Amino acid sequence: MAADSELTPTKYIDHHLTHMTVQVSEGAFWTLHIDTLVTSILLGFLGIGFVWLVVRKATPGVPSRRQAFVELMIEFIDNEVKNTFHGNRHVFVAPTALTIFVWVILMNTMDIMPIDITAWVTENVFGLHYWKIVPTTDVNTTFALALSIWFLMIFFSVKVKGLGGWMHELFCTPFGKNPLLWILNLLFNFIEYVSKPLSHSLRLFGNIYAGEIIFLLLGMWAATGVAGAFFGAILGAGWAIFHILIVTLQAFIFMMLAVVYISMAHESH
């Protein structure tokens, strides 16, 4: 047993039925989901890189189909941000909203990819037996995104109102400035601050994960026989079409909530 423990390295790759992980130190907190990280980073570079290349080659004349698509998307996001954020949105808020929308919708879209094809590619081409291809079905992804927006919300609250103004808001709103109400105000605001990243992350995770489970159940039904294959294929095609709406809608909701939270940080109660 001692010899085995000496041969076990601190850093190792462990193939689970859910994720390919790397343990960088002791404890579950230091377990990295390599499939989630790599897929998310690749999709991020793919999405933002595509937008950057199209914008870089944009012309003032008749736009190409790619340029028209990107212009419509940017205009759509900009209009949505303008209706919510009342300030200089072009410096940070609108670009951030565009980045969130493009990144999240690409991660969500991986849920529509055929399971058999993606599993065959990851196993036979890259030699990876367990590779979760949908980053937003990993709660770590959605919670990391929600926490990033949460920290931005606190940063802008302190930047706009000052540290004293932010602390005053925590202790004196919404029930008043009476010192007897400070604890009640703080508890109320604490619940609000905690609930925002939780609801923000779990809403996206729950919807996309549930969609993946339904795809898996339909695939298992298709393996039961001829009738299962027939009805599983029909229902699977219908669910895939409906899931396109879910994928887009959840990305939009996640983006809009981020804009709302940042906008609230710029305003006083």
Side-chain angles (χ1 to χ4, degrees):
M1 295 296 292
D4 292 340
S5 61
E6 292 176 359
L7 292 175
T8 303
T10 303
K11 181 182 289 186
Y12 65 95
I13 294 179
D14 184 20
H15 298 278
H16 295 291
L17 292 177
T18 53
H19 290 281
M20 175 177 285
T21 63
V22 169
Q23 190 79 25
V24 296
S25 185
E26 294 183 0
F29 180 81
W30 298 106
T31 302
L32 302 180
H33 291 180
I34 298 300
D35 47 5
T36 297
L37 290 172
V38 171
T39 306
S40 300
I41 292 171
L42 289 177
L43 291 174
F45 277 111
L46 176 65
I48 303 305
F50 171 76
V51 174
W52 178 79
L53 286 175
V54 172
V55 172
R56 184 168 174 265
K57 297 180 180 179
T59 59
V62 178
S64 63
R65 284 179 294 180
R66 286 183 299 179
Q67 181 179 334
F69 171 76
V70 171
E71 287 179 352
L72 287 173
M73 181 174 62
I74 293 176
E75 183 179 358
F76 170 74
I77 299 297
D78 186 62
N79 288 332
E80 294 298 327
V81 174
K82 181 174 63 176
N83 294 331
T84 305
F85 181 78
H86 306 294
N88 189 359
R89 65 187 184 277
H90 299 299
V91 175
F92 180 81
V93 180
T96 301
L98 177 65
T99 302
I100 293 172
F101 180 75
V102 172
W103 197 12
V104 173
I105 199 172
L106 284 176
M107 290 191 288
N108 290 351
T109 304
M110 300 304 294
D111 199 21
I112 305 177
M113 298 288 290
I115 298 174
D116 294 338
I117 295 177
T118 55
W120 185 90
V121 171
T122 54
E123 182 170 359
N124 293 281
V125 177
F126 299 102
L128 304 172
H129 299 289
Y130 303 110
W131 189 271
K132 201 163 188 175
I133 202 68
V134 189
T136 43
T137 57
D138 185 353
V139 72
N140 295 282
T141 302
T142 60
F143 203 71
L145 289 171
L147 276 180
S148 300
I149 296 164
W150 186 74
F151 283 121
L152 283 174
M153 180 185 68
I154 295 178
F155 169 77
F156 281 114
S157 292
V158 176
K159 180 181 178 181
V160 173
K161 305 162 189 173
L163 182 59
W166 180 59
M167 295 296 294
H168 179 271
E169 190 175 83
L170 287 179
F171 284 92
C172 299
T173 57
F175 300 117
K177 302 178 182 180
N178 192 315
L180 297 176
L181 298 173
W182 284 0
I183 300 299
L184 184 61
N185 288 328
L186 182 61
L187 289 175
F188 184 88
N189 287 303
F190 176 78
I191 294 172
E192 180 182 354
Y193 270 87
V194 170
S195 64
K196 282 179 179 177
L198 285 175
S199 61
H200 200 188
S201 59
L202 294 178
R203 179 184 290 105
L204 176 61
F205 164 74
N207 281 277
I208 303 303
Y209 186 76
E212 186 182 50
I213 293 298
I214 292 177
F215 276 124
L216 290 173
L217 291 175
L218 290 174
M220 294 172 62
W221 189 21
T224 59
V226 176
F230 177 76
F231 289 107
I234 294 176
L235 293 177
W239 179 248
I241 295 172
F242 179 70
H243 203 59
I244 295 174
L245 175 62
I246 297 176
V247 161
T248 308
L249 182 62
Q250 290 304 315
F252 175 76
I253 292 174
F254 193 90
M255 179 269 295
M256 284 305 303
L257 284 174
V259 175
V260 168
Y261 292 158
I262 295 176
S263 178
M264 290 172 61
H266 284 75
E267 300 172 357
S268 298
H269 285 288

